[in-house]
Amino acid sequence: MTEAILLVGGKGTRLRPLTVHTPKPMVQAAGVPFLTHQLARARAAGVEHIVLATSYLAEVFEPYFGDGSSLGLSIEYVTEEEPLGTGGAIRNVASRLHSGPEDPVLIFNGDILTGLDIRALVETHTTSGADVSLHLTRVDDPRAFGLVPTDDTGRVLAFLEKPQTPEEIVTDQINAGAYVFRRSVIDTIPADRPVSVERETFPGLLASGAHLQGMVDSTYWLDLGTPGAFVRGSADLVTGRAPSPAVPGRCGDRLVLPTARVAPDAKLVGGTVVGEGALVGAGARISGSTILPGAVIGPGAVVTSSFVGAGARVGARTALTGAVIGDGADVGADNELHEGVRVWCGATLPDAAIRFSSDQ
Ligand code: GDD
Ligand code: MG
């Protein structure tokens, strides 16, 4: 049986203060909690047993996913009392694994949207005989990631988490957050204390001569760590650029959940998703945006690449670009909110309160 560990925890997320009651893995991307996409993709690749290793708001996962049978999976939940770091979280769930010492165990960062061929990663692991195999991807700016130079056979030469100096930037290949571990390697991670798999386990394994194998795969890949990335990921799921068997409905320009109501002349494009019970008023134009359940978009509003939280209201003719509107916030009519603005959960903005001017 193939099994996997899904890491969802840690220091919290930048999206979380805007969705107070829901940790980010449960915020809806393309109409279902984001985690559903990862679970469904793992299942499609033959994974049957998943251990969710979490350190925060664990109580929201189990009521939603239960024993996993609705996704054809068997899911177990383990909650850390204090965040144990990525390596500590993996070690902490080792007793739940059914795999034998030589068997491959998949591990996924819980905030990644990717088209990775999971079976190919397991195959690379098996044929190379590696102790650990890692999915690698190429990015323009690797500073926010783990840098992973390899030799020409794909064998990992070093692991440099969040490189600081220009000299450290020796490659554009980064750790994409999906691994296959030989089960016995998991058991060597110290128990009961925080361990970073990136800063401690991987460098330690390399220093001891272990075989780490990289598989560069340039398929769709996105870390959903920022609200902007989350919105983009959701739109890519809707259009089908990011493949997921869990998107409810056909892929296309828009996804309107069954109980949402959209005025006939409203225009929804670019992978916009309108959640359950949300309302979109006459003449509104929404592009590449996530409108969560129960939100209201007023008539004539223009919403681009933005996130509108559950139950939030966007007034008539208000323009949003790259904005994040927290759950239950109330943005009055005729406002103009641009790149990077975040309206906190439940905050109220009067009509015509904010205009944007470049003063050019
Ligand atoms: N259970 C648990 N406990 N999970 C954790 C903990 C913890 O203490 N700390 C982090 N995680 C989970 C996060 O929820 C996330 O799903 C994953 O582990 C990675 O943590 P992030 O905090 O998102 O790390 P990052 O994005 O800065 O860097 C990681 O991902 C990059 C790819 O997106 C590293 O693995 C980098 O090497 C990698 O390039
Ligand atoms: Mg991340």
Side-chain angles (χ1 to χ4, degrees), residues 17 22 52 101 106 110 127-128 156 185 190 212 221-222 269 358:
T22 323
L52 207 79
L106 280 154
T127 53
S128 68
V156 174
V185 174
L212 272 62
W221 186 86
L222 195 61
V269 295
S358 67

Side-chain angles (χ1 to χ4, degrees), residues 16 21 23 46 55 73 76 86 95 107 125 129 135 140 169 207 255 280 286 300 306 321 324 334 343-344 354 356:
R16 198 169 144 206
H21 306 299
S55 64
L73 286 163
E76 286 184 62
T86 45
S95 63
I107 296 168
H125 180 77
H135 171 210
D140 292 335
I169 301 179
L255 175 66
V280 177
I286 313 183
S306 294
T321 309
V324 177
D334 300 303
V343 178
W344 229 240
I354 297 189
F356 180 87

Side-chain angles (χ1 to χ4, degrees), residues 19-261:
T19 54
V20 266
H21 306 299
T22 323
K24 191 178 57 169
M26 294 302 283
V27 176
Q28 294 199 357
V32 294
F34 171 68
L35 220 50
T36 319
H37 300 290
Q38 284 190 312
L39 293 170
R41 290 200 81 253
R43 180 67 196 97
V47 173
E48 291 166 76
H49 178 223
I50 292 197
V51 187
L52 207 79
T54 183
S55 64
Y56 58 55
L57 291 180
E59 63 278 10
V60 303
F61 300 109
E62 195 161 358
Y64 188 86
F65 294 111
D67 65 2
S69 51
S70 62
L71 288 163
L73 286 163
S74 152
I75 304 181
E76 286 184 62
Y77 306 83
V78 176
T79 309
E80 298 142 40
E81 277 168 25
E82 291 295 324
L84 287 171
T86 45
I90 295 167
R91 177 66 179 86
N92 190 46
V93 303
S95 63
R96 305 298 185 100
L97 299 171
H98 307 314
S99 302
E102 295 302 311
D103 291 340
V105 176
L106 280 154
I107 296 168
F108 300 110
N109 283 358
D111 58 350
I112 304 294
L113 182 59
T114 174
L116 168 70
D117 183 341
I118 297 169
R119 285 184 201 271
L121 184 64
V122 178
E123 210 171 289
T124 297
H125 180 77
T126 314
T127 53
S128 68
D131 298 297
V132 178
S133 302
L134 302 86
H135 171 210
L136 308 180
T137 191
R138 293 200 165 92
V139 292
D140 292 335
D141 182 358
R143 283 175 299 177
F145 303 104
L147 238 68
V148 189
T150 51
D151 70 12
D152 51 15
T153 67
R155 190 164 175 151
V156 174
L157 299 171
F159 195 105
L160 302 151
E161 183 67 10
K162 313 261 160 48
Q164 301 294 316
T165 63
E167 299 78 60
E168 284 180 315
I169 301 179
V170 292
T171 175
D172 60 355
Q173 286 177 185
I174 60 139
N175 166 27
Y179 323 117
V180 184
F181 271 62
R182 180 187 299 143
R183 160 66 206 257
S184 57
V185 174
I186 293 177
D187 297 321
T188 67
I189 299 173
D192 302 324
R193 70 162 171 90
V195 177
S196 160
V197 82
E198 298 88 350
R199 294 181 194 277
E200 183 176 338
T201 310
F202 292 147
L205 284 168
L206 287 168
S208 70
H211 179 175
L212 272 62
Q213 185 70 22
M215 184 185 92
V216 183
D217 181 329
S218 46
T219 177
Y220 182 93
W221 186 86
L222 195 61
D223 178 322
L224 302 189
T226 63
F230 191 91
V231 167
R232 192 158 11 112
S234 177
D236 289 341
L237 282 161
V238 171
T239 61
R241 270 193 73 214
S244 163
V247 175
R250 285 213 335 269
C251 287
D253 240 6
R254 70 195 66 87
L255 175 66
V256 177
L257 275 289
T259 56
R261 278 183 291 149

Side-chain angles (χ1 to χ4, degrees), residues 285-318:
R285 284 180 287 143
I286 313 183
S287 169
S289 295
T290 295
I291 313 299
L292 287 189
V296 177
I297 308 296
V302 181
V303 180
T304 308
S305 306
S306 294
F307 175 97
V308 180
R313 194 183 74 90
V314 174
R317 297 170 303 279
T318 281

